[in-house]
Amino acid sequence: MSVELQERPESKAETEEQLTDGFHLLIDALKLNGLNTIYGVPGIPITDFGRLAQASGMRVLSFRHEQHAGNAAAIAGYLTKMPGLCLTVSAPGFLNGLTALANATTNCFPMILLSGSSEREIVDLQQGDYEEMDQLAIAKPLCKAAFRVLHAEDIGIAVARAIRAAVSGRPGGVYLDLPAKLFGQVMNADAGAKSLVKVIDPAPEQLPSQASVKRALDVIKSAKKPLIILGKGAAYAQADDVVKSFVEKSGIPFLPMSMAKGLLPDMHQQNAGAARSLVLKESDVVIMVGARLNWLLSHGKGKSWGEPGSKRFVQIDIEPREMDSNVEIAAPLVGDIGSCLGELLTAMGDQFPAAPDGWISAVNTKREANTAKMNQRLGSDTTPMDFHTALGALREIMQQRPDAMLVNEGANTLDFARSIINMSKPRKRLDVGTWGIMGIGMGAAVAAAVETGHPVLAVEGDSAFGFSGMEVETICRYNLPVCIVVFNNNGIYRGTDENNNGDGDVAPTVFVKNSRYDKMMEAFGGVGVYATTRDELTTAVNEAMDTGKPTLINAVIDENAGTESGRIGNLNPQSVVKK
Ligand code: ADP
Ligand code: MG
């Protein structure tokens, strides 16, 4: 019988071994874990991987430069709590992506950089391979974890490790090194399928100890002038309800860090943003919720924090080593935001210590005075526009469109927009983050559109826009609902610097006067608008947000407007020697 069976052609096919390869195993491993979107740039040796991934139903978005693909992946990670994927070629492509990976790690955003690499044997003997580089070694110090996969049967485990490393504990960037040879390795399809791992509970809850909860509560109860600082870790945690309950039940004024804006609405009566200097200086107990005492908060000390020794800190963070990083933390609460605040709320029961009245009214008085001052300036309608005129218009638009995503980078454009544009929902504001870098704009805008489906308003300084400007083609290619407003004041900080050395060059901070950034968008089929007045700007943005058409509005801003380094001029050394 068996002889007879073997002679039948269809039976022959039955006994033929089904095969899979590195390409397919990697795609299957990612999809099995719900990772269905790749941001990248094709090339050797990952071109076919991108094609096959797309053919398998994944969304594969190609960029013009890896750094922007990487920034998109990082933002996808921030918005979804699963690692965003960035795919690059070897050496230079890898290095371009690495900037974004390091930035993601610094910001505690989960992402995985998948880079093709050259042949190990040649790279390790430094025999000069095509794009030779020991990528694993270079990536290691710049991210949370780095792995190399040499055998197709290890792809499942490698992807699982990468996911866990990216999202568990403090999130961050992971590098996965994929030598060219790996993709073509063939193995039995059944064995391949069995080698894949679906990660169970990739970011497990982390509960604080009861002792630490009690300690924190004791410190909070002792406060006469308490303050809550919400950071982007709190936004990332997606524990929005418990954050809101904690803030509202306690009645304590809160200060949102820039990407935590909207976690509670900026218009919330407990928002002390408009009384920032007062609350930092005068508070006696500061409850840090997913925010670090880094340079953005003057390291928790110095003049802006009032008298030395006048504060005690409660800090909630998933990373134990964050505690005491800059100042002593009286009550460290180590765990995830949802669990920590949940435990605090339970421990407090109904006996929540009320925030003292005198403190609340002092904060309110200051906030109202500062808000009134600001509102007066925002009504301005100067032509050419200054920052307040243009941002006054954008603020109104964002108020009417609470679901829209906001991307913001620049110097003055960043500083003014951060304080002027109110956010009303969590995780809607994406900006320069912990490093305060330029260049995140278009990557963040693409990810915001792709991951949320909501319209995106990107408010960009003319200098900041330049770092990722070529990605307007990407935005047009995928027809994404992104409206970019370039604040064009002819230069970095402003457009009026002069060079007196006689060589005919312009000053290092000055760009081509009256550039037409709007034409860049038109070149790729998008809508370009040249706006010189508040009305023109308002009309154009509303139209873009309504139609969802890729749009770039060149907003002409007075070239005298703007100060050196925006609000961080203190970090910019300036020579006082006259020569
Ligand atoms: P910001 O710049 O807004 O102040 P940071 O990036 O400095 O925010 O701080 C974010 C903090 O949040 C980091 O210390 C990080 O460890 C922490 N964090 C991130 N995710 C969580 C989470 N789910 N639970 C608790 N802490 C978190
Ligand atoms: Mg400028």
Side-chain angles (χ1 to χ4, degrees):
M1 292 297 282
S2 64
V3 173
E4 222 182 275
L5 271 176
Q6 271 180 4
E7 279 167 1
R8 297 216 309 258
E10 59 271 33
S11 303
K12 197 170 172 190
E14 262 168 34
T15 56
E16 217 169 67
E17 190 184 8
Q18 295 290 309
L19 298 175
T20 186
D21 62 11
F23 288 108
H24 291 90
L25 284 167
L26 185 54
I27 291 165
D28 293 345
L30 296 170
K31 286 174 74 176
L32 180 67
N33 285 287
L35 301 177
N36 295 309
T37 305
I38 296 178
Y39 301 92
V41 178
I44 297 171
I46 47 89
T47 313
D48 218 26
F49 176 75
R51 271 190 208 112
L52 292 166
Q54 187 175 53
S56 83
M58 291 182 84
R59 184 131 201 228
V60 182
L61 295 129
S62 288
F63 283 66
R64 305 301 294 256
H65 188 288
E66 293 85 352
Q67 194 177 122
H68 313 310
N71 287 329
I75 288 303
Y78 171 66
L79 293 173
T80 64
K81 291 186 92 176
M82 276 301 273
L85 303 178
C86 175
L87 179 68
T88 81
V89 303
S90 36
F94 155 78
L95 286 173
N96 290 342
L98 190 59
T99 305
L101 188 72
N103 183 53
T105 307
T106 299
N107 280 281
C108 314
F109 299 158
M111 76 173 269
I112 302 174
L113 176 66
L114 306 134
S115 295
S117 59
S118 307
E119 296 316 329
R120 286 256 42 85
E121 294 80 355
I122 304 178
V123 172
D124 288 349
L125 269 173
Q126 299 173 30
Q127 294 174 308
D129 202 1
Y130 167 73
E131 295 191 352
E132 175 176 299
M133 176 172 278
D134 187 357
Q135 296 171 196
L136 184 72
I138 291 164
K140 245 178 208 165
L142 296 172
C143 60
K144 196 176 163 192
F147 307 105
R148 174 184 294 136
V149 201
L150 291 174
H151 303 293
E153 63 262 34
D154 292 333
I155 287 175
I157 284 291
V159 168
R161 298 210 73 185
I163 292 171
R164 272 198 196 281
V167 298
S168 61
R170 170 182 278 175
V174 176
Y175 174 59
L176 208 50
D177 192 69
L178 307 168
K181 267 189 203 161
L182 175 76
F183 292 101
Q185 279 181 30
V186 170
M187 68 182 286
N188 175 278
D190 275 346
K194 286 193 185 115
S195 73
L196 302 183
V197 177
K198 182 165 166 54
V199 180
I200 313 288
D201 196 10
E205 269 184 0
Q206 280 181 233
L207 284 124
S209 74
Q210 285 306 312
S212 67
V213 174
K214 181 171 182 317
R215 194 183 300 119
L217 202 53
D218 287 345
V219 174
I220 295 171
K221 278 181 180 162
S222 74
K224 301 210 162 49
K225 299 175 173 181
L227 170 68
I228 295 169
I229 297 185
L230 300 173
K232 61 181 172 298
Y236 172 82
Q238 297 194 17
D240 307 341
D241 290 345
V242 64
V243 171
K244 183 172 185 286
S245 293
F246 179 76
V247 170
E248 290 184 344
K249 274 199 177 175
S250 71
I252 299 173
F254 70 91
L255 201 60
M257 300 300 289
S258 70
M259 282 178 65
K261 279 165 67 76
L263 191 45
L264 278 91
D266 277 332
M267 301 297 275
H268 196 285
Q269 58 174 10
Q270 283 169 258
N271 182 4
R276 182 186 162 94
S277 308
L278 174 98
V279 291
L280 286 184
K281 197 173 231 161
E282 304 271 314
S283 54
D284 62 351
V285 165
V286 181
I287 307 160
M288 307 289 301
V289 185
R292 287 172 285 187
L293 285 165
N294 55 18
W295 71 280
L296 287 157
L297 286 167
S298 327
H299 305 281
K301 53 198 171 190
K303 245 173 74 187
S304 56
W305 285 89
E307 289 296 308
S310 64
K311 312 238 181 289
R312 286 194 299 160
F313 288 93
V314 175
Q315 183 158 24
I316 302 179
D317 205 289
I318 204 155
E319 171 56 63
R321 289 180 302 172
E322 186 56 38
M323 306 300 162
D324 306 323
S325 58
N326 286 271
V327 295
E328 180 187 292
I329 301 301
L333 260 184
V334 176
D336 68 274
I337 305 283
S339 299
C340 290
L341 287 180
E343 292 291 321
L344 266 181
L345 278 167
T346 309
M348 287 177 178
D350 293 333
Q351 295 177 345
F352 224 102
D357 284 349
W359 172 235
I360 304 294
S361 57
V363 175
N364 286 347
T365 308
K366 187 75 190 172
R367 186 186 63 223
E368 278 150 28
N370 283 348
T371 307
K373 235 188 276 171
M374 176 63 98
N375 284 346
Q376 215 170 18
R377 294 196 65 183
L378 292 176
S380 73
D381 192 359
T382 55
T383 305
M385 293 182 278
D386 60 13
F387 287 93
H388 286 86
T389 301
L391 287 168
L394 299 184
R395 171 166 121 138
E396 276 175 25
I397 291 168
M398 283 301 288
Q399 240 147 28
Q400 290 152 8
R401 300 171 185 272
D403 285 318
M405 302 293 295
L406 181 73
V407 171
N408 186 201
E409 62 175 335
N412 292 279
T413 305
L414 175 86
D415 289 335
F416 284 118
R418 185 177 51 230
S419 51
I420 290 173
I421 300 183
N422 287 322
M423 307 306 299
S424 19
K425 291 193 176 181
R427 294 172 295 283
K428 293 290 182 188
R429 185 186 155 85
L430 308 169
D431 68 24
V432 301
T434 303
W435 269 346
I437 49 157
M438 299 297 117
I440 52 93
M442 297 306 104
V446 169
V450 168
E451 302 291 334
T452 72
H454 291 299
V456 180
L457 178 64
V459 180
E460 301 272 316
D462 50 350
S463 159
F465 172 70
F467 288 78
S468 64
M470 190 63 206
E471 302 297 345
V472 295
E473 190 274 331
T474 309
I475 290 167
C476 289
R477 190 166 7 110
Y478 296 109
N479 195 23
L480 298 172
V482 174
C483 172
I484 305 155
V485 179
V486 175
F487 277 51
N488 188 356
N489 65 352
N490 294 342
I492 301 173
Y493 309 132
R494 54 183 175 258
T496 51
D497 273 13
E498 277 173 22
N499 168 21
N500 297 318
N501 88 354
D503 69 3
D505 285 349
V506 295
T509 53
V510 168
F511 295 147
V512 168
K513 299 251 184 226
N514 309 315
S515 295
R516 295 292 301 269
Y517 293 100
D518 47 317
K519 303 259 183 206
M520 284 175 69
M521 188 55 112
E522 285 175 357
F524 303 107
V527 178
V529 180
Y530 181 75
T532 55
T533 67
R534 183 172 174 143
D535 275 355
E536 285 167 4
L537 177 60
T538 302
T539 307
V541 175
N542 274 323
E543 185 154 330
M545 304 291 270
D546 285 339
T547 61
K549 282 191 192 144
T551 301
L552 192 153
I553 301 162
N554 182 103
V556 179
I557 304 290
D558 183 354
E559 66 172 2
N560 294 292
T563 56
E564 181 100 356
S565 306
R567 264 177 228 168
I568 50 173
N570 60 315
L571 300 178
N572 195 9
Q574 295 196 335
S575 174
V576 289
V577 178
K578 295 262 179 280
K579 278 205 170 174

